[in-house]
Amino acid sequence: MTAVMPGPPVSRSGRVAAVDWSGRAVGSERFIWIAIAEEGRLASLESGRDRGALADHLVELALSDPELVVGLDFGFSLPLWFLDREGFENGMAVPAAESERWLRECPPPFWGRLGRRRGPEQQHRRTERMVAMRGKPIFQVGGSGAVGTGSLRGFAVLARLRREGFRIWPFDDHGTPMAVEIFPRLLTGPVVKSRAAERDRHLRLRGWPLAGAVSEDAFDAEVSALVMDRHRADLLALSAEGDPVLRREGRIWAPPIPVGARLASPSSESC
């Protein structure tokens, strides 16, 4: 276990946790970081748990803090057309064995492995087009910046959290403990995360602990937790998604956009 800050006291409530995820088949514990924030401060920042152990830890945290809100850095579902084709309600309905088969065989529309190129199908979910970030689609399971592997291996963790009493937004109705999908780039803002000096500078300018400067993964976890903590009231007010597409495809949580901020049109992003 790598802990750059001590763990939080179990008696406290109202905590926010942010997880920088990894879909690696081996060694995921070195890249999965969890940050916990409460009352405007970073309470802990740790790595050293694989996906199963991380799920165990989240359940333990929720038992000690029923108002826990967790942000997880992977896609919670798949594009609607694909869900309909395969007969799944959402990502949580996908069996782990099927996710592993997709990763192993990389059948279209999945791509990124040797000999598998991106096809013409709709690649992004509506939520990804809404935030206009030109992010990588879940169907990419290999190559630079691929997020598909982590997402496919995250569905089973979501399903487990739901069985343990977590509300998974935007699929479930109001309540806590709660898990939401996050995209750290929306929470960190512009910063060259690959440079330690820039991570350090970003944290110093905000008066935040420098613990997250140790790596990109730790940085994403720390900043995401502190931003989520700042918007805890907004998170607790989230209700089940009314849009039938987003309720099945999932939705990335982001802080409310300040008045006067420029909104990007979803249509500005190519799919």
Side-chain angles (χ1 to χ4, degrees):
M1 180 74 66
T2 300
V4 293
M5 292 194 69
V10 297
S11 61
R12 299 297 294 274
S13 64
R15 288 173 289 177
V16 168
V19 177
D20 195 71
W21 191 249
S22 173
R24 293 171 182 260
V26 178
S28 63
E29 65 275 7
R30 293 185 290 117
F31 299 93
I32 293 176
W33 283 81
I34 177 171
I36 297 176
E38 56 183 347
E39 299 180 352
R41 69 181 184 88
L42 182 66
S44 68
L45 180 62
E46 301 175 337
S47 67
R49 297 180 180 89
D50 62 16
R51 287 180 292 276
L54 189 280
D56 292 341
H57 185 53
L58 293 177
V59 171
E60 291 170 0
L61 288 173
L63 288 173
S64 66
D65 180 3
E67 296 183 359
L68 179 72
V69 180
V70 177
L72 293 162
D73 174 26
F74 60 81
F76 280 13
S77 192
L78 293 144
L80 182 62
W81 70 265
F82 182 78
L83 293 171
D84 284 341
R85 191 188 82 175
E86 300 297 318
F88 296 120
E89 176 65 21
N90 52 45
M92 287 179 286
V94 179
E98 187 70 350
S99 290
E100 291 301 322
R101 184 183 72 81
W102 290 339
L103 289 170
R104 182 175 63 253
E105 299 177 7
C106 198
F110 296 97
W111 58 280
R113 301 288 173 83
L114 184 64
R116 295 287 194 270
R117 295 184 177 180
R118 177 172 175 162
E121 302 92 349
Q122 168 75 37
Q123 293 279 315
H124 289 88
R125 296 174 295 155
R126 179 181 291 180
T127 186
E128 291 152 354
R129 301 195 302 276
M130 287 171 65
V131 299
M133 290 296 293
R134 297 183 180 272
K136 301 287 187 178
I138 289 176
F139 290 135
Q140 184 183 354
V141 296
S144 176
V147 300
T149 303
S151 298
L152 292 178
R153 288 186 170 138
F155 295 161
V157 170
L158 281 184
R160 185 200 165 180
L161 293 179
R162 192 188 225 181
R163 291 193 301 271
E164 297 284 358
F166 275 75
R167 170 197 171 208
I168 311 298
W169 185 78
F171 311 102
D172 300 327
D173 292 331
H174 181 78
T176 56
M178 173 174 59
V180 301
E181 177 181 344
I182 59 173
F183 186 4
R185 177 58 72 181
L186 288 175
L187 308 182
T188 65
V191 57
V192 184
K193 294 188 293 184
S194 60
R195 298 177 183 173
E198 288 300 310
R199 298 193 300 267
D200 186 283
R201 178 175 180 273
H202 187 92
L203 296 171
R204 286 183 186 277
L205 285 174
R206 288 154 182 77
W208 290 342
L210 303 183
V214 67
S215 72
E216 293 182 54
D217 301 320
F219 177 84
D220 278 348
E222 176 182 332
V223 174
S224 296
L226 288 166
V227 172
M228 288 177 65
D229 180 68
R230 184 182 297 167
H231 294 277
R232 179 174 168 78
D234 298 310
L235 286 160
L236 293 176
L238 291 174
S239 59
E241 178 58 56
D243 185 300
V245 175
L246 293 173
R247 182 139 186 176
R248 291 183 61 198
E249 289 191 342
R251 185 170 181 179
I252 299 166
W253 177 81
I257 299 174
V259 175
R262 180 178 178 273
L263 281 170
S265 170
S267 62
S268 66
E269 181 186 4
S270 59
C271 300

